[in-house]
Amino acid sequence: MADLFQWSNEFNIDIQEIDEQHKVLVGLLNELHRAIREHHGKATSREILKRLAEYTRTHFLLEESLMRLTHYPGFELHKQQHQELMTQVDALQTKLERENAAISFELLHFLKNWLVQHINDSDKRFGMHFHKAGLVSYAKWTAEVETTMKKKKWWWKFW
């Protein structure tokens, strides 16, 4: 069975660190989809959602830091979009815990659609700003960083 979200280069915003993090978010979303589809249980699904939420917070902090550093004029609106999503996810996590409920496919599709729309609209606008700011040389990892980042780390099991 196919993944919920098929990553393709059309989602790239041409800032490698952000693109790589988006791929991790997509991977976690697909992992959550598989867990639900294969009936791994509520606790497993909630644990994956927790990891997805934590990684999303980390990703948003990176994006927002880059926006501040480059004086991105759309920063406040972009940050507000991030905050609104995290507020919704926090509320959903609380509800799932309180009601001992299962994560629904509707929630998965909401997260997928939010991510697709956010990347294709807000993140791509920031990517254009980043490049217009003359930061093209910082958009790609150096060969050394590329090699290091592509190696599996022992501590990645915690992500």
Side-chain angles (χ1 to χ4, degrees):
M1 192 171 230
D3 283 334
L4 176 70
F5 190 146
Q6 297 286 338
W7 179 267
S8 76
N9 288 337
E10 73 184 48
F11 296 111
N12 286 342
I13 68 163
D14 296 323
I15 302 172
Q16 189 169 4
E17 182 64 30
I18 291 176
D19 291 335
E20 295 295 332
Q21 288 186 5
H22 284 160
K23 291 174 191 174
V24 172
L25 290 171
V26 167
L28 286 165
L29 196 57
N30 286 332
E31 183 181 343
L32 181 57
H33 181 242
R34 271 188 305 281
I36 293 169
R37 193 181 65 223
E38 296 170 4
H39 308 288
H40 291 192
K42 294 177 204 172
T44 299
S45 296
R46 284 199 297 266
E47 179 56 36
I48 297 167
L49 180 61
K50 180 181 173 188
R51 286 191 290 128
L52 176 60
E54 288 170 357
Y55 192 85
T56 299
R57 278 187 184 84
T58 300
H59 168 69
F60 286 169
L61 287 171
L62 170 75
E63 277 189 1
E64 292 167 13
S65 294
L66 290 175
M67 288 175 191
R68 279 192 302 277
L69 289 169
T70 60
H71 306 287
Y72 179 52
F75 170 71
E76 288 301 327
L77 176 60
H78 202 114
K79 183 176 179 171
Q80 181 183 348
Q81 291 171 349
H82 288 170
Q83 288 171 333
E84 287 170 1
L85 176 68
M86 294 317 303
T87 298
Q88 286 178 290
V89 169
D90 289 344
L92 284 164
Q93 285 179 299
T94 300
K95 182 178 186 213
L96 290 167
E97 289 293 330
R98 188 177 41 233
E99 298 174 8
N100 194 27
I103 297 169
S104 68
F105 284 108
E106 290 80 13
L107 170 59
L108 281 174
H109 286 284
F110 162 76
L111 293 172
K112 176 198 171 194
N113 292 337
W114 189 94
L115 187 58
V116 166
Q117 184 277 327
H118 188 75
I119 290 171
N120 282 332
D121 183 33
S122 301
D123 286 348
K124 285 197 176 189
R125 266 199 308 275
F126 173 64
M128 288 187 288
H129 165 79
F130 190 87
H131 287 276
K132 284 180 187 170
L135 299 168
V136 174
S137 62
Y138 298 102
K140 297 284 181 213
W141 289 339
T142 63
E144 183 179 333
V145 170
E146 179 91 33
T147 301
T148 301
M149 292 304 288
K150 297 292 181 178
K151 288 181 184 172
K152 189 91 168 135
K153 310 290 187 300
W154 69 267
W155 45 264
W156 284 8
K157 64 185 172 191
F158 299 112
W159 280 98

